[in-house]
């Protein structure tokens, strides 16, 4: 099966030439999300906790557009500008995923788009 873009009307506007989500067979690959508030198109100013919460809300909205939920997520990658923010990000992340524990990598980076403190990408398994 070919890789196909999935319509995502609830995703924040893309900042570049990419799809917020693509389907490859039974897998959904979501582009990284930062803490952009869809209504304003601006990064939330609630620190790394608020940005993590908003990024995960954006991910949940994109997954919803694809017929999936956070419980379908198999793998996440979290990018942090400051690894000192790990405990705050981790607390918000754990609340969002509740009892579900996808595999995760957390990577320290020099910078993120729009001055974001955190970016999260996910892979979800959603059989057709």
């Amino acid at each position: 099966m070919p890789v196909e873009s999935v319509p995502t009307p609830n995703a924040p506007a893309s900042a570049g030439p990419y799809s917020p989500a693509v389907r490859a067979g039974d897998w959904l690959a979501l582009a990284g999300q930062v803490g952009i508030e869809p209504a304003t198109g601006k990064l939330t100013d609630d620190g790394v906790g608020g940005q993590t919460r908003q990024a995960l809300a954006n991910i949940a909205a994109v997954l919803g557009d694809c017929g999936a939920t956070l419980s379908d997520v198999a793998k996440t990658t979290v990018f942090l500008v400051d690894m000192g923010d790990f405990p705050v990000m981790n607390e918000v992340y754990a609340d969002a995923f509740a009892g579900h524990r996808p595999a995760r990598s957390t990577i320290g980076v020099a910078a993120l788009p729009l001055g974001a403190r955190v970016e999260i990408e996910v892979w979800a398994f959603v059989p057709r």
Side-chain angles (χ1 to χ4, degrees):
M1 292 192 151
V3 174
E4 56 190 341
S5 292
V6 180
T8 54
N10 292 305
S14 296
Y18 62 88
S19 297
V22 297
R23 180 177 273 283
D26 291 337
W27 287 95
L28 293 172
L30 273 61
Q33 290 288 327
V34 297
I36 293 175
E37 296 173 345
T40 65
K42 296 184 190 255
L43 198 61
T44 183
D45 60 0
D46 294 335
V48 73
Q51 288 186 24
T52 302
R53 193 171 295 103
Q54 185 63 55
L56 289 165
N58 294 344
I59 288 166
V62 173
L63 287 168
D65 287 342
C66 300
T69 69
L70 288 174
S71 65
D72 297 309
V73 173
K75 172 71 168 77
T76 67
T77 306
V78 178
F79 303 93
L80 286 172
V81 171
D82 181 350
M83 289 302 285
D85 288 336
F86 183 89
V88 173
M89 175 282 297
N90 200 47
E91 182 178 337
V92 174
Y93 178 98
D95 287 345
F97 280 100
H100 179 57
R101 297 288 183 253
R104 180 179 80 186
S105 299
T106 304
I107 302 165
V109 297
L112 290 168
L114 306 174
R117 310 277 308 150
V118 60
E119 180 173 358
I120 304 171
E121 67 178 25
V122 306
W123 281 79
F125 185 74
V126 184
R128 287 184 182 258

